[in-house]
Amino acid sequence: MLLNEKGELVTDKKEIVELFKKHFETLLNRQGQGSTNKEITYYTVEPDIGEPKQEEVARIIETLKNNKSPSENKIPAELLKKGGKDLINTLHGIISKIWKRETMSEEWNTAIICPIFKKGPMLVSNYRGISL
């Protein structure tokens, strides 16, 4: 059970799912907010970081922990470590393309969201989405 935007108690499972769906869509899909596809220049205090080097990719692969459950891609760390130079070259190429284009594949934006209740009245806004 939880309260909707009007403060009414919602007990129907389908309505609760729809409330969560609406809440997380609003939270996670904030696109544009009135934009008109114009290129925007951002000024930050962050330093300009160069494209990742092949040695960095290799070092990160080496530091992956063994015997851990793989993520949604079902690729265990041990497999990446045994891939050798060819795999490192391929991964570096993919990372370089992403770095230059500054966009990722839409499939990479999927996540599993598990609502976790926080103290307070049972409102949809009192739940945090945790991406697994």
Side-chain angles (χ1 to χ4, degrees):
M1 296 186 298
L2 55 100
L3 300 175
N4 63 15
E5 308 87 36
K6 299 175 188 174
E8 301 167 339
L9 186 63
V10 178
T11 57
D12 181 58
K13 289 181 182 182
K14 288 183 180 181
E15 286 184 58
I16 292 172
V17 169
E18 284 302 314
L19 281 172
F20 275 113
K21 180 182 175 188
K22 182 180 174 186
H23 173 73
F24 283 112
E25 281 178 348
T26 303
L27 186 69
L28 300 173
N29 296 327
R30 295 182 183 176
Q31 293 180 347
Q33 295 178 352
S35 68
T36 57
N37 291 340
K38 294 179 184 177
E39 189 170 320
I40 300 171
T41 304
Y42 294 99
Y43 299 98
T44 68
V45 294
E46 296 175 7
D48 184 30
I49 300 171
E51 182 179 326
K53 295 180 173 55
Q54 195 169 11
E55 296 80 26
E56 291 175 305
V57 175
R59 185 170 26 92
I60 289 169
I61 290 173
E62 288 172 16
T63 60
L64 293 173
K65 294 182 180 180
N66 292 332
N67 302 316
K68 297 290 180 185
S69 178
S71 62
E72 270 191 36
N73 63 22
K74 308 287 189 243
I75 301 173
E78 294 86 351
L79 185 64
L80 293 173
K81 289 180 177 183
K82 297 285 184 181
K85 270 287 200 199
D86 290 338
L87 179 66
I88 292 171
N89 291 338
T90 302
L91 286 175
H92 180 258
I94 292 169
I95 292 168
S96 293
K97 283 182 184 177
I98 292 168
W99 189 269
K100 290 173 187 170
R101 292 182 189 164
E102 296 184 3
T103 57
M104 293 189 306
S105 171
E106 275 300 312
E107 292 85 27
W108 291 8
N109 288 327
T110 59
I112 299 170
I113 298 174
C114 297
I116 298 175
F117 182 69
K118 298 188 306 184
K119 290 184 179 180
M122 293 193 309
L123 300 170
V124 173
S125 61
N126 281 349
Y127 286 85
R128 295 184 280 154
I130 304 298
S131 180
L132 301 174

